[in-house]
Amino acid sequence: MRFLITNVTDGLGRSVAASLLAAGHDVVGTGDAALRELDRRITMHRGPATEVLDDVDAVLDLAGDTSLADTATRTVVLLPDDRGAERAWAANPTALLVRTAPLAGRRAGAAEVRTLAGLLAAPPTAPRQLVHPDDVARHLVIELTSGSATGTVVLAAPGTVTGQDVRRALRAAGIARDPRLTAPPAPSPLTADPAFHAGWTAADALADLVRGLQGRDVRDGGAVARPAEIPLPADVIPARLPAHDGHPLRSAAPEGCEGEFDEHIDPRFPVHSAANTSEALPGPLTALSIDVHAGALRRANAALAWMMGLEGLAAAEWTSRVNAVYGHHVFLNASISILTVANLPGWSEESMRRQAFASIPEDWAIYPEGRPETVSGLAAARAQAGVVRRLLGIARHLRTAAETVNAASRAEALDTGAIAALDDARLHAHARLARDRMAQAWTAAALGVVLVGAAENIHEKTSKAGAPAIPLERLESARTMLAVDRLAALMRTDSVLRDLAAAGEVDSALAHSPAAAAALGQELGRIGHRGPGEC
């Protein structure tokens, strides 16, 4: 099917579009056509939405576009606060009008901040309804693809919250209340449609809103990330984004062999390596692992681009393609990494080649079309000074941020039994939260790698003692390789066991050696099983 979404560049619009595209549908959108971080599969229409009505099966109006009110095309309308728009649509017998309780979730955009302001302005014990944007988006997708209802539907999460609940949650999270927030009028009580199945209760939605406010400053128009903080992201940077300057990209795959997740290459930055990524993310990865990890890595790369003071082409290429998937493996783009290393204190092209790309021969052409221009002289010095300030700010907060991410991810984790007990709506809610937490964790890890690498390089240059020793046992990322080292050492003590293991006869090796079977079980218990291809 083919759908039109007005204001598709809004957070809710992008979320609905992502679900439709994942299900194999086509999406046409209107909105901010200049937004680069928009899924390339969305066809943006720059004229009036009425011009494409004949080419779509259904419409989702998120912009309050009353020019569409006379259409006979199946239309789902998220009702704006404008009563005139509601009256215009109410006369359309083919339309489904969707009214929602105030939105509350970790995206912490303008709508969520309005909700927060309204809750804080309400009488302390007055009950207030909420609904999570994920539930709204999921229901909109259902109505577009399989629903035929008309009239009005009301979406509200089970339960209510109060102003006291909000104040208590903000206080527990260490979030200061801003008295300057503009409070909206008190909402009218709503009776939720019985067919609406929410994955988030009102209390859950409030907790998720507070979760999204951590590390951000709250202001009218939406919460904004504080410098040197690592807030929880709530959206994904899609794959295969166009080049910043429109330069043509090309496929890396042989004819007819390109996979769904394969990135396209900018021929100006063509050299890739799996020297380190093959250890952290051994492949071939499953589709789910690629979808989660690659999206999370792009979000982490956006944070690194800001920290390094990258702009324009360098920032866009770093964010989009410094990590890229080819053949279900994750690669690191050496060309863009070496180009931007000049912005990093303590790093040099030589140290980058040595630490990250040891497998790339010195005589390889990193830039076959010529090295792109970068800033130099005084401009470069100013840029690096800004990077130093950001690095120092991040260094002061990184340990606390990493520990916070670790504690939160463990608190949010569910065991097998709890997962099996989830219905589809709650499974959807937990899966999306886990995806966003993964992006936050990759951001903390990536910033840590840059900081440690800079400190190590500076120490090596200025100290006669050489590079400092890093306690590998404290690194989560080193668990797998340390486990391999311990198991390999055990197998070298028994020639039969060693030969069976070298031949890949795992079951026979474990049957031959109870000690090896026990050791493998112990290692898997420590690191967890991460899918086919691990170790």
Side-chain angles (χ1 to χ4, degrees), residues 261-264 285 290 294 298 323-331:
F261 299 99
D262 285 353
E263 184 56 78
H264 287 173
L285 298 175
I290 292 173
R298 285 190 291 272
N323 292 110
V325 174
Y326 305 107
H328 282 240
H329 292 72
V330 177
F331 288 77

Side-chain angles (χ1 to χ4, degrees), residues 3 5 18 35 57 65 84 87 143 160 193 226 259 267 344 348 357 367-368 401 406 429 473 476 534:
F3 299 95
I5 302 178
L35 181 67
D57 298 291
D65 188 350
R87 286 193 297 271
E143 291 292 355
T160 59
D193 189 281
R226 288 195 293 269
L344 284 175
S348 65
F357 305 111
Y367 308 104
N406 189 34
E473 292 75 13
E476 294 275 348
E534 185 65 80

Side-chain angles (χ1 to χ4, degrees), residues 239-251:
R240 294 188 188 173
L241 289 175
H244 179 75
D245 55 359
H247 196 280
L249 306 178
R250 60 177 174 82
S251 171

Side-chain angles (χ1 to χ4, degrees), residues 178-194:
D178 190 337
R180 298 168 295 178
L181 293 178
T182 303
S188 302
L190 301 172
T191 301
D193 189 281

Side-chain angles (χ1 to χ4, degrees), residues 107-380:
R107 183 173 290 113
E112 288 83 359
V113 170
R114 280 198 305 274
T115 298
L116 176 67
L119 291 169
L120 292 172
T125 58
R128 290 287 185 264
Q129 294 171 289
L130 300 174
V131 68
H132 198 285
D134 284 358
D135 283 330
V136 174
R138 183 170 45 79
H139 192 80
L140 292 174
V141 170
I142 292 171
E143 291 292 355
L144 285 167
T145 56
S146 59
S148 57
T150 59
T152 301
V153 63
V154 176
L155 309 183
T160 59
V161 297
T162 67
Q164 286 180 339
D165 295 331
V166 178
R167 291 176 176 83
R168 191 179 301 118
L170 292 175
R171 195 162 48 245
I175 299 171
R177 291 188 287 124
D178 190 337
R180 298 168 295 178
L181 293 178
T182 303
S188 302
L190 301 172
T191 301
D193 189 281
F196 175 57
H197 193 183
W200 300 83
T201 65
D204 292 337
L206 172 61
D208 199 48
L209 172 60
V210 173
R211 187 183 281 127
L213 294 176
Q214 292 179 298
R216 292 184 167 97
D217 289 325
V218 185
R219 60 189 66 170
D220 284 336
V224 179
R226 288 195 293 269
E229 296 280 1
I230 309 175
L232 184 65
D235 56 6
V236 172
I237 298 174
R240 294 188 188 173
L241 289 175
H244 179 75
D245 55 359
H247 196 280
L249 306 178
R250 60 177 174 82
S251 171
E255 183 70 27
C257 295
E258 183 174 86
E260 176 185 358
F261 299 99
D262 285 353
E263 184 56 78
H264 287 173
I265 290 179
D266 187 326
R268 295 169 296 183
F269 307 99
V271 180
H272 292 70
S273 170
N276 283 317
T277 56
S278 59
E279 296 176 4
L281 293 168
L285 298 175
T286 64
L288 179 60
S289 290
I290 292 173
D291 196 31
V292 173
H293 282 292
L297 284 166
R298 285 190 291 272
R299 176 53 63 193
N301 294 337
L304 283 174
W306 167 82
M307 188 199 70
M308 293 188 294
L310 302 182
E311 298 178 354
L313 176 63
E317 194 66 21
W318 178 279
T319 298
S320 304
R321 280 176 281 276
V322 71
N323 292 110
V325 174
Y326 305 107
H328 282 240
H329 292 72
V330 177
F331 288 77
L332 190 61
N333 188 315
S335 300
I336 191 64
S337 299
I338 292 173
L339 180 72
T340 56
V341 76
N343 282 37
L344 284 175
W347 288 83
S348 65
E349 182 169 325
E350 187 277 330
S351 63
M352 177 65 75
R353 278 180 174 270
R354 174 168 47 86
Q355 293 188 29
F357 305 111
S359 61
I360 297 179
E362 286 289 334
D363 58 350
W364 272 33
I366 300 294
Y367 308 104
E369 296 188 6
R371 189 183 184 100
E373 290 186 9
T374 54
V375 296
S376 58
L378 186 58

Side-chain angles (χ1 to χ4, degrees), residues 11 16 28 33 73 77 121 173 192 246 256 273 279 292 296 405 421 482 497 516 528:
V16 173
V28 180
T73 305
V77 184
S273 170
E279 296 176 4
V292 173
V405 174
L482 292 173
L497 178 62

